[in-house]
């Protein structure tokens, strides 16, 4: 095991208190105030560990902006309103989005930009691109205004809890120590009830794993209830599956390659696939309407990425044209981000079917 400051901290914790829940391990690896992965670096881009859609092309943020603008217009142009983003990374998506909505009369003036971001180094990046934003540690402090919100690759970074089906019942997976290595271990006592597992997971075979993210569910429900009571709309975009199903999707990325999530916590991005059925259910519980999920490729195509591509290409050099075409391809092609990534739309109940979700 590679020894990092966080390795020592977590190892000591386990020695003192026993194995820790996987969700706790994940929260420390990503969010420990001094040594957590997101707290210490800018993980995005070619030099980082992974790249995201807004970093691939400005077309992504522009199309999201136009989707939110259409919702804002349909809901009677509420002003003021909160234009919010969860986990804004470098602030690229929001700055592209803000440029796109400048063509919508009155929208920029009505928008108060709010970011929910825990990482100090990424907050600096965001401030450089969107200086007039207001920052929050958690969604609870977002203002009580109509809420137009986007979250791209945010839910995949939230902690998950895993249970394994054993002959004794469902046992929670913890992280323990074997010598100097972190390893998954099972809680000795099974769950008293499987009520908290989604129905499709309950019939899993022995040995299979059920993964849930109570943190994600709570956030989706809170956003939905704000949209239900004060109007607004949201897009959750992430990689994941449309239906709840058993399976261990925990993974780590370092330098654009897969890594071991239990080695050197704090130095790799640890994520899981987002369960969109669970998010949709949380949205319905919160009182709003969930649309989709649809695949990112189909969504961007329906919103007119071809037209955006042509508009950008008009004044471009030959090599810029090739870059723009390649970026559109990466965002939409099924073998690239087009089908693994999904989009969930959230509107107040009884709204017209939003663009991209037909
Ligand atoms: N949306 C951006 C960045 C994705 S990376 C993009 O598409 O490029 C995940 C982002 O979520 C980072 O900004 C990270 O710092 C932030 N983040 C991770 N966990 C968080 C949490 N619990 N609360 C708030 N922000 C979080």
């Amino acid at each position: 095991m590679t020894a990092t400051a966080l390795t020592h901290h977590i190892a000591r914790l386990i020695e003192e208190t026993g194995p820790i829940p996987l969700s706790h391990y994940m929260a420390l690896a990503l969010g420990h105030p001094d040594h957590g992965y997101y707290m210490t670096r800018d993980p995005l881009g070619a030099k980082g560990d992974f790249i995201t859609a807004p970093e691939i092309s400005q077309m992504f943020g522009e199309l999201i902006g136009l989707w939110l603008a259409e919702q804002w217009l349909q809901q009677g142009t509420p002003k003021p309103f909160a234009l919010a983003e969860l986990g804004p990374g470098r602030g690229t998506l929001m700055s592209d989005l803000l440029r796109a909505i400048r063509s919508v009369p009155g929208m920029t003036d009505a928008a108060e930009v709010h970011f929910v971001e825990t990482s100090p180094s990424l907050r600096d990046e965001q401030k450089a691109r969107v200086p007039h934003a207001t920052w929050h540690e958690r969604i609870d402090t977002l203002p009580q205004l109509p809420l137009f919100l986007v979250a791209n690759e945010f839910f995949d970074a939230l902690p998950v809890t895993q249970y394994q089906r054993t002959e004794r019942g469902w046992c929670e997976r913890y992280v323990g120590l074997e010598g100097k290595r972190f390893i998954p271990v099972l809680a000795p006592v099974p769950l008293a009830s499987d009520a908290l597992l989604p129905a499709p997971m309950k019939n899993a075979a022995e040995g299979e794993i059920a993964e849930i993210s109570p943190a994600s569910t709570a956030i989706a429900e809170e956003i939905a209830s704000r949209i239900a009571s004060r109007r607004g709309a949201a897009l959750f975009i992430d990689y994941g599956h449309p239906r709840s199903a058993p399976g261990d999707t925990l993974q780590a990325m370092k330098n654009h390659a897969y890594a071991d999530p239990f080695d050197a916590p704090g130095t790799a991005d640890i994520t899981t696939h987002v369960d969109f059925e669970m998010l949709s259910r949380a949205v319905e519980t919160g009182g709003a309407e969930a649309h989709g999920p649809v695949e990112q490729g189909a969504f961007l195509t329906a919103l007119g990425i071809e037209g955006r591509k042509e508009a950008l290409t008009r004044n471009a050099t030959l090599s810029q044209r090739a870059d723009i075409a390649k970026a559109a391809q990466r965002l939409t092609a099924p073998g690239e981000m087009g089908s693994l990534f999904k989009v969930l739309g959230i509107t107040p109940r009884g709204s017209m079917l939003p663009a991209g979700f037909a």
Side-chain angles (χ1 to χ4, degrees), residues 30 38-39 43-44 50 52-55 60 85-90 93 116-119 122 126 136-137 151-154 156-159:
L30 295 176
Y38 280 112
M39 299 302 134
L44 292 152
F50 60 96
T52 57
E55 300 300 329
F60 187 78
E85 184 173 0
L86 310 181
R90 289 183 173 160
L93 192 164
V116 178
E117 176 60 68
T118 41
S119 158
L122 287 172
Q126 293 152 20
H136 303 261
E137 284 283 320
N152 186 58
E153 290 212 48
F154 171 76
D156 66 11
L158 297 186

Side-chain angles (χ1 to χ4, degrees), residues 67 69 147 160 166 175 180 186 188 206 245 249 256 278 330 332:
W67 189 91
L147 177 63
V160 296
T166 72
V175 178
K180 287 190 172 309
L186 288 186
E206 212 175 288
T249 75
H256 299 266
M278 206 159 5
R330 275 186 88 177
T332 57

